[in-house]
């Protein structure tokens, strides 16, 4: 096993993952795409459980994007049903493992039952102090910035915020991620090298890892290797080391 890398040793405190490749994984096995999503859901638990081994305190995963509604009705309905069942099934385990669950994304378009379960999961794990798991559901980075700007503009209109006080420090307070640190490392599986509208503002200075592994095959060992490799990177945030 890769030696654990804690943030004190230079490991990532916050890792964000674009879990790609479920569909191809299923197709390669002659199965429907949803079969791949179910296999992908099982991987989520394993990766969450491995976070403490690698010193990862925050894990943010991209489960459904604002663009994923363009998929077939069968796939969208199947994914929504998977999310509902996942929350119902996994929450007790997350409480037991001290995992705090949060959701980011635009909730109104999601069905009422799913929204209720999301609220419940957040409440049930509110006291948990271990890994912070954030699930992006109906999430898009541009949509998030637009919604944040709307709320910010309302505060300006209401006189709660002066236009001259709008800056890099104020805007993130209106983002869905306002209580989270920026991701140190963003991983995308399945060999695609793009960010697909994920955490656009927050990942301005994140390190990226694009790996060929399809998400259902992404094992904790590979996750650990990527966390260890992050520890060897030189993050300068635009500055020059003296
Ligand atoms: C991308 O693979 C994956 C998704 C759009 C869904 C992600 C969902 C999961 C991993 C499962 C459930 C997660 C939770 C939190 C329960 P793709 O379908 O685009 O794959 P492809 O590029 O091979 O077609």
């Amino acid at each position: 096993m890769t030696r654990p890398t804690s943030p004190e040793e230079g490991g990532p405190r916050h890792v964000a993952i674009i879990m790609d490749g479920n569909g191809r994984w299923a197709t390669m096995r002659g199965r429907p795409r949803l079969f791949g999503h179910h296999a992908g859901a099982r991987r989520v638990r394993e990766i969450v459980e491995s976070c403490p081994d690698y010193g990862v305190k925050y894990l943010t995963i991209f489960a459904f994007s604002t663009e994923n509604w363009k998929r077939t009705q069968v796939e969208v309905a199947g994914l929504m049903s998977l999310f509902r069942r996942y929350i119902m099934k996994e929450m007790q385990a997350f409480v037991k493992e001290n995992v705090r669950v949060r959701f980011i994304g635009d909730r109104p378009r999601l069905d009422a039952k799913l929204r209720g379960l999301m609220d419940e999961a957040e409440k049930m794990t509110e006291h948990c102090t271990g890994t912070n798991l954030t699930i992006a559901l109906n999430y898009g980075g541009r949509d998030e910035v637009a919604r944040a700007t709307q709320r910010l503009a309302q505060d300006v209109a209401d006189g709660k915020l002066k236009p001259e006080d709008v800056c890099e420090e104020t805007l993130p307070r209106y983002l869905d991620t306002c209580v989270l640190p920026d991701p140190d490392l963003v991983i995308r599986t399945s060999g695609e090298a793009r960010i697909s509208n994920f955490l656009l503002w927050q990942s301005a200075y994140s390190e990226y890892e694009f790996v060929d592994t399809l998400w259902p095959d992404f094992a904790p060992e590979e996750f650990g290797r990527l966390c260890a490799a992050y520890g060897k990177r030189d993050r300068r945030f635009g500055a020059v080391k003296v």
Side-chain angles (χ1 to χ4, degrees), residues 19-24 33 37 41 63 68 71 82-83 86 215:
M19 308 178 288
D20 198 10
N22 296 346
R24 273 163 285 169
R33 295 177 56 81
H37 294 315
N68 285 153
R71 296 185 174 206
L82 171 62
F83 298 142
Y86 184 84
W215 174 253

Side-chain angles (χ1 to χ4, degrees), residues 33 54 62-63 68 78 81 86 98 114 122 128 149 160 175 183-184 194 222 226 229 231:
R33 295 177 56 81
Y54 307 124
F62 207 178
N68 285 153
S81 151
Y86 184 84
N98 200 22
L114 177 56
E122 286 181 334
C128 296
T149 308
K160 292 181 190 154
L175 295 174
D184 300 301
R194 53 176 176 268
E222 185 167 12
L226 297 176

